[in-house]
Amino acid sequence: MLTVEQVVAAQKASLGNVFGVTARAFEGCEKLVELNLRTGKAALSDLAQASTAALSAKDAQQLAALQEAAVQPKVEQLTAFSRQVYDIVAATQADIAKIAEEDAATTQKTFAAAFDLAVKNAPAGTENVVAFVKSTVAAANSAYETVQKAVKQAADVAGASVDVATATPTKAAGSRSKRAA
């Protein structure tokens, strides 16, 4: 049987984890806001420069050349921005997942200790029930580990997809700019 102190300690640990997850989420949001502000400022500055250059163009051909020259840097900036957003979100998710895994491991250990104590004090004739509960717990743990592995694999695939997706537009825009020149 769990003691009051053990229950209180478990509740304190869980509350600490909730605050830890919340803090990580706010840190991630803060990084996204900072990135958006930096990107917005840079875009505004770029727009001012491009507008000034466009207004000083002597003819349509010079204006077209200015527009063509602006394409590659914008694609690269958008690609870099997308990559930074993904990195921030992935890092925040990884931090939260780590906290959740630690909390689950602690909860599992506490449950296992309480269950072992209950098994030791179980009355005679309950061996079948104890065996059933043990097998159910083992199956649940196995399923949890399988889901964890699947989620990690999905995150790895998503990361690889982002790598490919952010590399492709930059290469395509670069080849278009070279063909136009």
Side-chain angles (χ1 to χ4, degrees), residues 33-96:
V33 167
E34 289 171 4
L35 175 63
N36 282 323
L37 287 174
R38 279 194 319 269
T39 303
K41 277 178 129 176
L44 188 59
S45 175
D46 290 349
L47 179 62
Q49 290 174 354
S51 298
T52 302
L55 291 173
S56 65
K58 305 279 189 233
D59 55 26
Q61 191 175 21
Q62 189 179 13
L63 183 60
L66 285 170
Q67 288 176 335
E68 182 65 34
V71 170
Q72 179 65 22
K74 296 301 173 217
V75 170
E76 290 173 358
Q77 290 170 355
L78 180 60
T79 302
F81 174 79
S82 299
R83 183 65 199 190
Q84 289 172 335
V85 167
Y86 173 79
D87 289 344
I88 291 168
V89 171
T92 301
Q93 185 275 335
D95 288 346
I96 290 172

Side-chain angles (χ1 to χ4, degrees), residues 127-152:
E127 292 81 14
N128 290 338
V129 173
V130 169
F132 174 75
V133 172
K134 280 185 177 181
S135 68
T136 303
V137 169
N141 287 338
S142 177
Y144 175 75
E145 289 172 8
T146 302
V147 169
Q148 261 186 324
K149 288 176 185 175
V151 167
K152 178 154 178 24

